[in-house]
Every structure is written in C-alpha cells, then in structure tokens.
Amino acid sequence: MRALTPIGNLMTKLVGDFQYSDLEEKICTPDQLHPKPDTSALVFGKYFTDHMLEVSWDSKRGWANPVISPMHNLQLHPGAKVLHYAIELFEGMKAYRGEDGCLRLFRPDRNMARMLSTAERSSLPTFNADEMIKCIKRLVQIDKEWVPYSTTSSLYIRPTFIATDPSLGVASPNEALLYVLMCPVGPYFTSGFKPISLMADPQYVRSWPGGCGAMKMGANYAPTIYIQKQSELLGHQQVLWLYGEDHQLTEVGTMNIFLFMLNKNGERELVTPPLDGLILPGVTRLSLLELAREWKEFQVVERTITMAEVIQAHEEKRLLEIFGAGTACVVCPVSSISYQSREYNIPRTEPSLSQRFLKTMSDIHYGRLQHPWAVDIQ
C-alpha cells in the first residue's frame, strides 16, 4: 500500500485543483520592469503591472501548477474556442493601499464564488477559490509598488478564464487558461462624484429570463457597446436597461441600480431589483444592502420596480434619489432619465445616501474603518 501512495497523490494532483503551494515564480529582471504612471494620469485599464498569473488546464491532465511571470502576450491557435464561441468569463476586483500602509482586497471570496458560478455556466472547469485567492494575494505582493499611494485610486484586478483548445466544434472545451491581469486605476469617472444622465429605451434589452444576464461573461458586454454609443450621441452618459412589457428596471450601464424613495405609506425604502436571473449579483450591491440592513434606518427591499412606478413616485415627490453601484465606480448618482421622449430630473438630498455609502465603502477600502470585508495582503 505504501508503494502506491505516491502514484495516488500524483493522480490527485493531475486531475484535482491547483494549489498555492505549487506556485512557480518567474520574477522580472530589472530591465523588464516598466515605469509606473503618475497617479493623476491613470486611465481605467490602460496601464498594466509587471507580472501576471497563469494556470492552464486540460481535460486529460487537469490543472497545471500556477505560474507568476512577467507580463506577456498570449499565444492562441486561430481556432481557439474563445475566439469563435466566446467561451470566456472574467471578474473585477480591487486592491487598496490603506492610510496605514496596509494592502487589502475587498471581499475576494464573493468574486471567486461568482467566477465559479459563471465557469459552470460556461462549461469551464472549477477550481478551489481559497487557493486562487492566495495566488492573487501573492501576485499583488510581487507588484505591490503598482498599488497607488492614493485614497482615490486602487489596483484593479482582472481574473480571466478562456477556452483555448484549437477546435471549431461547438462543445465543452478540453483546454483552458485561467489568468490574472492587474492595472492601477484612478476614479472610474474622471469628472468625480457627479450625477450622470441615463437613456432608457425599452427596445434594447440586456438580459432575459433563462439567459446569462446574471453571469459575468464577456458575451454580455459586447452587444451593449453600440447602445452605449447611441446614448452618448443623445447627450447621456449611461444606459438604463429595461426589460419586459412593463419596462422593469434591471441595470444601469454595467452597474446595479438602487432607488431611495418614500413608499405610499411615507416610509423610506431602499429598493433594488431582485436576483432573478436578469441582473449581475454585484459584490458592491451585496455590500450596500448589508450595510443598509445593519443601519436599520429605513426599509431595504429587493423587488421588481417598473418605470411606471418610478414616474409615479417622481410625480408624487416620493423619489429621493437614484444611483448605480459597482466595483469600478463604487457608487454613482443619477441626475436624469430620458424615457419615451421625456426627461425626468432625479432629485438628490444633501447629504445623500449615495454619498454616505461611498464614504463608508471608502473607509473600509482604505483602512479608516476596520471591517471583515477588507482582507489584508501583508
């Protein structure tokens, strides 16, 4: 039996999850290091750090060892499934440099849970979330000087998962690559914390029941870019995505949407659409809901809300504010909605709930408020 143990361990390694303990590191030589941009010049997704993380997989051997190496281009066969059938997914998360100098991730377990859910829906293999988080932490440690020394900037982390096998058959992939890129970013909106205007046109639909709107896969985003451009041509910053004959609110741009309002009984409510398959289960969305429930100052409701209800609340002066929420911007207030040839100006109290959420989240991100959601890296 003892003679069989090493073979048994080997087989487990070949077909099982990858382990942080097997991580291989290939660190940049001094001449491979890139100059770091000034914090004031940061543009979302333009500058990348010196290193990346990669883990390859195939159906016969399972996961290979994770590798951290200098940033480099990928080599893909022209027939790789990702290029033809969009078998691809990604996550968006951040590392922050706290005022105390400590580096922190924000709720990485939630990102990994969502990534695994999307992987399953995409017929890609799953992996051990805890081991992946350890690998990401190590990647941030190696490129820690890329984390901005700023409380308005952060290091954006993009875990990505693609099908790489060279086959044009429409079938589950036999080869895949899990990798992580990182880039320093400033505020998502260069204008700062300013309200944005929305175009709400029911002829355009982002997701539908039974579809993949609740998954963070690239195929959900490509079809929205054209509509986003149309909204910009009309003078708006983002699209308010509607669904159904009753024009249900789903998302705003790439953010979850929140309404703060008085219900018909005069009670304050924070309302956001439910996780019914039409919207992405945002980590920021979850965090705002949990904060609001901890505060116990107003009702917190997850339910369907239609444009007719928004308009009625607006006319009856029960609408207090509307805002979007997501990893990139954290919180973004809405100034107006263009809907069926009419412009609805959205009120906003001072100080607003959106400002309070932003401050609380920022305090957690940058270590001003100790919180279990902030996961120390060093």
Side-chain angles (χ1 to χ4, degrees):
M1 292 295 293
R2 291 181 180 177
L4 295 176
T5 301
I7 298 177
N9 289 342
L10 177 60
M11 291 301 294
T12 299
K13 182 177 179 180
L14 289 177
V15 299
D17 294 318
F18 61 85
Q19 303 291 321
Y20 170 72
S21 59
D22 294 324
L23 177 66
E24 301 173 15
E25 297 181 4
K26 303 175 183 178
I27 306 302
C28 286
T29 59
D31 61 300
Q32 291 178 306
L33 298 175
H34 295 86
K36 298 171 182 62
D38 187 86
T39 302
S40 62
L42 292 177
V43 177
F44 187 86
K46 181 177 180 180
Y47 303 101
F48 292 91
T49 64
D50 293 315
H51 297 85
M52 64 188 294
L53 168 69
E54 294 174 278
V55 197
S56 61
W57 173 90
D58 70 53
S59 58
K60 293 182 179 179
R61 294 185 295 270
W63 287 103
N65 289 342
V67 179
I68 290 177
S69 61
M71 177 71 68
H72 59 270
N73 293 334
L74 301 179
Q75 288 189 333
L76 294 176
H77 188 280
K81 276 187 168 62
V82 63
L83 302 177
H84 297 269
Y85 309 122
I87 303 180
E88 181 268 359
L89 59 97
F90 64 92
E91 270 301 319
M93 49 198 294
K94 287 181 176 180
Y96 302 85
R97 187 181 298 277
E99 292 186 353
D100 55 0
C102 182
L103 302 182
R104 298 177 176 88
L105 296 175
F106 183 77
R107 308 194 79 172
D109 58 320
R110 303 310 306 172
N111 290 100
M112 290 301 102
R114 187 171 63 185
M115 192 170 195
L116 288 169
S117 175
T118 308
E120 183 177 3
R121 186 65 173 84
S122 304
S123 294
L124 285 163
T126 57
F127 51 86
N128 186 298
D130 292 336
E131 298 300 310
M132 181 62 170
I133 292 172
K134 292 176 185 176
C135 290
I136 292 174
K137 282 184 175 182
R138 180 56 185 156
L139 180 63
V140 176
Q141 286 175 335
I142 291 173
D143 277 342
K144 63 183 179 181
E145 287 305 311
W146 284 88
V147 185
Y149 286 80
S150 166
T151 55
T152 58
S153 303
S154 56
L155 185 70
Y156 185 78
I157 303 170
R158 174 58 66 90
T160 309
F161 204 0
I162 63 174
T164 56
D165 48 325
S167 170
L168 296 182
V170 182
S172 298
N174 290 313
E175 298 176 17
L177 179 66
L178 175 62
Y179 64 94
V180 180
L181 304 173
M182 304 193 301
C183 50
V185 296
Y188 188 75
F189 296 108
T190 56
S191 59
F193 189 73
K194 294 182 179 179
I196 60 172
S197 64
L198 308 179
M199 179 190 79
D201 190 335
Q203 71 173 308
Y204 303 119
V205 179
R206 192 196 78 91
S207 62
W208 50 90
C212 297
M215 306 296 166
K216 199 165 181 65
M217 51 179 61
N220 284 339
Y221 293 79
T224 69
I225 297 173
Y226 173 78
I227 314 306
Q228 171 65 27
K229 292 298 182 183
Q230 298 307 303
S231 74
E232 293 173 2
L233 290 174
L234 294 173
H236 304 291
Q237 285 82 46
Q238 290 288 343
V239 177
L240 174 57
W241 298 101
L242 305 177
Y243 173 76
E245 295 181 358
D246 54 352
H247 301 174
Q248 302 169 26
L249 280 68
T250 60
E251 293 189 4
V252 49
T254 59
M255 300 178 285
N256 293 120
I257 189 165
F258 286 84
L259 288 80
F260 192 43
M261 58 191 294
L262 299 176
N263 62 25
K264 292 185 177 181
N265 295 323
E267 302 162 323
R268 294 189 302 168
E269 283 187 348
L270 178 66
V271 185
T272 195
L275 298 180
D276 58 2
L278 293 178
I279 69 169
L280 191 72
V283 178
T284 304
R285 173 190 181 276
L286 174 65
S287 302
L288 300 192
L289 289 174
E290 290 180 353
L291 285 174
R293 288 176 175 133
E294 287 178 8
W295 293 341
K296 298 179 181 179
E297 298 175 14
F298 43 81
Q299 296 183 34
V300 180
V301 185
E302 297 177 65
R303 63 171 174 82
T304 298
I305 184 166
T306 66
M307 279 303 301
E309 183 179 353
V310 173
I311 292 170
Q312 182 180 10
H314 181 274
E315 292 176 346
E316 295 175 357
K317 301 188 184 304
R318 293 187 289 106
L319 190 59
L320 302 178
E321 63 178 304
I322 298 177
F323 54 91
T327 297
C329 68
V330 185
V331 179
C332 179
V334 172
S335 61
S336 65
I337 299 174
S338 177
Y339 171 71
Q340 294 186 334
S341 303
R342 182 176 171 184
E343 195 87 5
Y344 295 90
N345 293 318
I346 307 302
R348 183 161 161 254
T349 57
E350 294 292 343
S352 66
L353 178 60
S354 55
Q355 285 176 311
R356 182 181 178 186
F357 274 136
L358 180 62
K359 182 181 184 306
T360 303
M361 292 286 282
S362 296
D363 286 347
I364 296 172
H365 292 158
Y366 296 104
R368 294 185 292 264
L369 176 62
Q370 297 299 311
H371 201 284
W373 292 344
V375 179
D376 288 357
I377 296 175
Q378 62 181 27

